[in-house]
């Protein structure tokens, strides 16, 4: 690898493309702000100095970043890395209990949060020891009058700005204080000793077993994956000449490695979409910028092909589209190519591999129905239950070896040992590798439910549901959902016969991010169990697979009259 650390790579890219536009954040109404490579580099240096000098953080301290796609994200994320600290990417939509669990597990020393969701963080802070908080706005680095207009709308029209009930430093103040420490210098002194084996990020995932845990991604693993992806695409990503649309959230490992790090490395212009829903939010970005690359999930490509404004005026300069995060449906790929004239190719990976393991070639050798070939330096094999390699063309659990594989799960040696042995990662996915090396995914061995590219962990949802006083047991499974992969279904044994599906959903919505909330609730008298009393999700899933559409919700019996009326 040409670099020892991510800050070294980021600094080199900024020097090479200093005056070019690195990032533009585009709002649904077309209002936008931009930063050059040099401006991003300087601001990240200032934030690094703030973390080290003002907050007194040490190398290896974890910093949580709870920020959507906006100009603040690359500045803050790069600043954390340049400080020699560890980035903890976090979904801004997480509820308070979810934030508290993740931040307690990571042992965060500081938190960066977008003001729109600051109210979700406030109740979690005391239990975390009240770490220092930096508050950012979606309109950071926008021209002053534009940011002012947006702020007025947020505050007085849609009333989307909650009160901030804790001490916090604004990003502007943090950068100013950091700049005072740097003077005419840079942040090199904080990161010059970093080496490939040092921890760069904790990327939380459900892994192949159990509840969410932090995948330990080193500088070397992330650097390797950036180089592997760029080698796979070859000349298709032209240095300094590409414009990539980033609708996927940068806190998701796919967008983080590919869109943020990879395209930055090649000097691309990255157009950030703070919120891609509804899909009309992408219209002005696609109209106003010469987008040449789009990365996304099946849901995004399918949805765009259903938008009249997109089908009538597809991006004229589009050169490539890449799908990841969930299975790409053949019908969607076909429709996309009909609409845009550009094929969408599929890759495959998982958080534990930083994340990319395979990629379909862009030189005409892509094979429909496959996720492509292993990226350079990656060895894949399919195995039987005993770990023996099965013949080419036969299904088996996919195992991976390569420099991008994680070092393990954060402070979870038993879970690490279950999936990682001698550097080889058990993916938990069943696949077929043909004689030419192309990989076709067959099924998942894990119980994860994929909702629009996001992992939903049944155990977590079940724990929330069974905390309801009217629920005795619950099993959560995924069932097919038109155009969006899977939907979450909860099969519930209730103790309160008056409990309704909407009440169950409302209970979950107060405690879980929206994509984790069961879309369907099915009531039953009992759940299938093993001899030791463990609920058999595979049996539940098989029974529910026969009913992919929402199950009719039977009206609960009328409650018996209560004394006192």
């Amino acid at each position: 690898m040409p670099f020892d650390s991510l800050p070294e790579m980021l600094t080199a890219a900024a020097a090479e493309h200093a005056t070019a536009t690195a990032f533009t954040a585009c709002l649904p109404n077309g209002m936008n702000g931009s930063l050059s490579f040099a401006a991003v580099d300087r601001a990240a240096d200032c934030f690094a100095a703030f973390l080290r000098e003002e907050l007194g953080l040490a190398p290896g301290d974890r910093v949580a970043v709870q920020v959507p796609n906006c100009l603040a994200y690359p500045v803050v994320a790069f600043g954390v890395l340049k400080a020699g600290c560890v980035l903890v990417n976090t979904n801004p939509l997480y509820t308070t209990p979810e934030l508290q669990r993740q931040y307690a597990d990571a042992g965060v020393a500081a938190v960066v949060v977008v003001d729109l969701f600051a109210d979700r963080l406030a109740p979690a802070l005391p239990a975390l020891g009240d770490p220092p908080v930096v508050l950012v706005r979606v309109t950071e680095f926008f021209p002053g009058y534009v940011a002012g207009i947006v702020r007025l709308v947020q505050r007085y029209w849609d009333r989307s700005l909650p009160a901030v009930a804790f001490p916090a430093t604004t990003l502007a103040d943090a950068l100013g204080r950091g700049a005072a420490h740097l003077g005419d210098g840079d942040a090199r002194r904080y990161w010059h000793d970093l080496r490939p084996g040092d921890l760069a990020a904790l990327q939380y995932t459900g892994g192949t077993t159990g509840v969410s845990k932090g995948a330990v991604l080193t500088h070397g693993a992330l650097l390797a994956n950036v180089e592997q992806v760029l080698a796979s695409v070859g000349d298709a990503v032209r240095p300094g000449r590409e414009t990539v649309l980033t609708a996927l959230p940068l806190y998701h490992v796919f967008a983080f490695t590919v869109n943020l790090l990879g395209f930055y490395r090649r000097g691309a212009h990255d157009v950030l979409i703070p919120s891609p829903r509804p899909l009309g939010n992408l219209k002005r970005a696609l109209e106003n910028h010469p987008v040449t690359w789009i990365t996304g999930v099946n849901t995004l490509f399918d949805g765009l092909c259903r938008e009249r404004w997109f089908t009538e005026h597809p991006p004229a300069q589009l050169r490539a589209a890449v799908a990841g995060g969930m299975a790409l449906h053949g019908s969607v790929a076909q429709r996309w190519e009909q609409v845009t004239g550009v094929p969408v190719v599929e890759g495959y990976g998982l958080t534990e591999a930083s994340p990319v393991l395979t990629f379909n070639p862009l030189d005409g050798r892509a094979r429909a129905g496959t996720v492509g070939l292993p990226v350079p330096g990656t060895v894949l094999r399919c195995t039987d239950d005993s770990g023996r390699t099965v013949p080419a063309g036969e299904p088996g659990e996919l195992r991976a070896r390569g420099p991008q594989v994680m070092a393990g799960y954060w402070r979870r040696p038993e879970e690490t040992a279950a999936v990682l042995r001698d550097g080889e990662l058990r993916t938990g996915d069943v696949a077929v590798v043909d004689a030419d090396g192309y990989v076709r995914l067959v099924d998942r061995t894990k119980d994860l439910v994929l909702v629009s590219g996001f992992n939903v962990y049944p155990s977590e949802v079940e724990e929330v549901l069974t905390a309801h006083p009217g629920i005795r047991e619950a099993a959560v499974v995924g069932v097919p959902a038109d155009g969006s992969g899977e939907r979450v279904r909860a099969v519930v044994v209730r103790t309160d016969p008056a409990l309704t599906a909407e009440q169950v959903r409302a209970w979950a919505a107060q405690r879980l991010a929206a994509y984790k909330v069961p879309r369907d609730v099915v009531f039953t008298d009992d759940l299938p169990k093993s001899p030791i009393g463990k609920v058999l999700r595979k049996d539940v899933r098989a029974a529910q697979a026969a009913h992919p559409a929402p199950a009719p919700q039977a009206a609960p019996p009328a409650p018996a009259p209560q004394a006192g009326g």
Side-chain angles (χ1 to χ4, degrees):
M1 291 184 297
F3 306 105
D4 284 333
S5 69
L6 288 169
E8 186 180 3
M9 183 198 80
L10 297 170
T11 301
E16 183 178 357
H17 305 284
T19 60
T21 301
F23 298 98
T24 295
C26 189
L27 301 182
N29 59 11
M31 290 183 172
N32 64 86
S34 297
L35 287 174
S36 68
F37 281 82
V40 171
D41 195 58
R42 176 62 183 176
D45 279 355
C46 292
F47 193 69
F50 170 77
L51 294 176
R52 293 294 296 270
E53 307 295 344
E54 290 285 317
L55 298 188
L57 300 192
D61 280 349
R62 277 76 63 202
V63 179
V65 177
Q66 187 185 344
V67 176
N69 291 3
C70 60
L71 296 176
Y73 183 90
V75 167
V76 168
F78 293 174
V80 171
L81 295 170
K82 286 190 168 195
C85 295
V86 176
L87 178 66
V88 181
N89 274 318
T90 306
N91 186 340
L93 298 178
Y94 268 3
T95 62
T96 299
E98 290 169 314
L99 292 173
Q100 189 167 322
R101 283 195 295 271
Q102 180 167 311
Y103 292 171
D105 185 75
V108 298
V111 179
V112 184
V113 63
V114 67
D115 56 3
L116 294 172
F117 303 113
D119 55 332
R120 302 183 183 193
L121 175 64
L125 291 174
L128 299 172
D130 290 311
V133 177
V134 177
L135 204 64
V136 306
R137 303 176 179 182
V138 170
T139 55
E140 299 282 0
F141 307 107
F142 276 39
Y145 72 93
V146 174
I149 292 172
V150 174
R151 196 75 174 170
L152 287 172
V153 170
Q154 289 175 329
R155 179 164 291 168
Y156 298 109
W157 182 258
D158 58 20
R159 300 184 183 275
S160 59
L161 288 177
V164 178
F166 49 81
T169 303
T170 66
L171 180 60
D173 187 27
L175 296 181
R177 290 157 68 180
H181 287 285
L182 288 179
D184 294 330
D186 59 26
R188 192 176 303 267
R189 62 180 179 268
Y190 304 129
W191 58 261
H192 75 280
D193 287 333
L194 287 174
R195 293 295 177 263
D198 291 327
L199 175 57
L202 289 182
Q203 196 73 30
Y204 275 77
T205 174
T208 56
T209 60
V211 297
S212 182
K213 44 195 169 285
V216 174
L217 303 183
T218 64
H219 287 267
L222 288 164
L223 283 168
N225 209 219
V226 168
E227 298 301 321
Q228 290 169 317
V229 170
L230 292 178
S232 294
V233 299
D235 295 336
V237 178
R238 303 163 299 179
R241 298 174 59 191
E242 306 296 347
T243 298
V244 59
L245 184 75
T246 300
L248 295 178
L250 291 172
Y251 60 77
H252 190 284
V253 68
F254 176 55
F256 179 76
T257 297
V258 176
N259 291 54
L260 183 70
L261 300 178
F263 278 96
Y264 192 86
R265 168 95 161 90
R266 285 283 174 91
H269 177 199
D270 200 335
V271 179
L272 306 176
I273 306 299
S275 175
R277 295 182 181 178
L279 287 175
N281 288 358
L282 279 64
K283 184 173 185 290
R284 295 298 296 274
L286 287 166
E287 290 175 345
N288 297 340
H289 300 281
V291 172
T292 58
W293 278 74
I294 294 178
T295 63
V297 295
N298 184 79
T299 312
L300 177 69
F301 296 118
D302 181 51
L304 285 174
C305 287
R306 297 175 188 272
E307 296 282 332
R308 184 173 178 179
W309 61 266
F310 184 83
T311 59
E312 291 183 349
H313 302 284
Q317 299 188 52
L318 188 66
R319 300 179 61 244
V322 178
M326 62 184 296
L328 176 68
H329 296 173
S331 59
V332 172
Q334 184 178 18
R335 174 66 173 155
W336 177 267
E337 188 165 2
Q338 290 173 346
V339 170
T340 66
V342 174
V344 55
V345 298
E346 191 174 5
Y348 162 75
L350 62 165
T351 303
E352 292 87 344
S354 302
V356 183
L357 288 171
T358 71
F359 196 83
N360 252 305
L362 292 169
D363 57 6
R365 293 182 297 124
R367 289 191 183 177
T370 78
V371 292
L373 298 166
V375 295
T378 302
V379 177
L380 301 179
R381 67 187 185 108
C382 291
T383 67
D384 59 20
D385 292 341
S386 64
R388 291 189 293 257
T389 302
V390 301
E394 292 189 12
E397 183 187 11
L398 193 65
R399 301 195 184 196
R401 186 185 301 276
Q404 74 272 46
V405 170
M406 69 171 183
Y409 291 123
W410 177 250
R411 295 175 176 172
R412 293 177 183 266
E414 292 184 3
E415 287 90 339
T416 298
V419 301
L420 198 62
R421 179 170 297 180
D422 297 327
E424 186 177 61
L425 175 67
R426 297 185 61 174
T427 69
D429 290 324
V430 177
V432 171
V433 179
D434 68 22
D436 296 322
Y438 285 83
V439 179
R440 178 173 62 85
L441 296 180
V442 177
D443 200 357
R444 291 188 302 276
T445 60
K446 41 199 171 183
D447 286 326
L448 296 184
V449 182
L450 278 178
V451 177
S452 297
F454 290 92
N455 290 342
V456 178
Y457 314 123
S459 294
E460 181 184 18
V461 181
E462 290 164 3
E463 182 178 359
V464 167
L465 295 180
T466 53
H468 190 289
I471 295 176
R472 188 179 76 202
E473 294 177 322
V476 170
V477 297
V479 295
D482 292 340
S484 58
E486 295 178 304
R487 60 194 293 146
V488 179
R489 177 171 295 176
V491 182
V492 172
V493 178
R494 57 187 170 185
T495 58
D496 178 4
L499 186 67
T500 67
E502 282 308 307
Q503 289 171 332
V504 173
R505 284 172 41 78
W507 171 272
Q510 294 175 356
R511 295 160 177 81
L512 296 168
Y515 66 88
K516 300 179 182 179
V517 176
R519 292 280 301 277
D520 313 325
V521 177
V522 177
F523 295 111
T524 186
D525 293 331
D526 200 8
L527 292 172
K529 298 181 180 68
S530 72
I532 61 172
K534 180 179 178 180
V535 173
L536 298 173
R537 284 204 200 103
K538 62 180 179 63
D539 292 351
V540 175
R541 186 161 48 243
Q544 295 302 314
H547 306 283
Q553 305 295 335
Q562 300 294 314

